[in-house]
Amino acid sequence: MRHWLGRLSFSFIIIGAVLLWECYQILSGRIVGVPTWRVGLYLAGALCALVVGALGIRQRHRP
């Protein structure tokens, strides 16, 4: 499991960044008609993805 966590860490960071970008687009008004609960769900998903990505980077660079 740790091997895959280290291997997929950059992918999790990209997913978190995309979710944060979508939240920015919605909150800035560029995308309309999106329910507010979806913004919270995107933020929670982005937080989880970034945390898992950071843990993967730590695992990958562990001696």
Side-chain angles (χ1 to χ4, degrees):
M1 182 71 172
R2 292 179 181 177
H3 175 71
W4 284 104
L5 184 63
R7 189 174 272 218
L8 295 173
S9 62
F10 191 64
S11 298
F12 282 118
I13 290 175
I14 290 173
I15 291 169
V18 168
L19 288 173
L20 284 176
W21 179 253
E22 285 294 318
C23 287
Y24 171 74
Q25 295 286 329
I26 293 168
L27 293 176
S28 67
R30 295 180 184 163
I31 300 174
V32 293
V34 178
T36 56
W37 61 268
R38 189 173 292 181
V39 175
L41 191 64
Y42 283 173
L43 287 174
L47 178 67
C48 291
L50 291 172
V51 166
V52 171
L55 290 174
I57 289 174
R58 182 176 179 212
Q59 185 62 38
R60 186 177 187 115
H61 294 287
R62 193 172 197 173

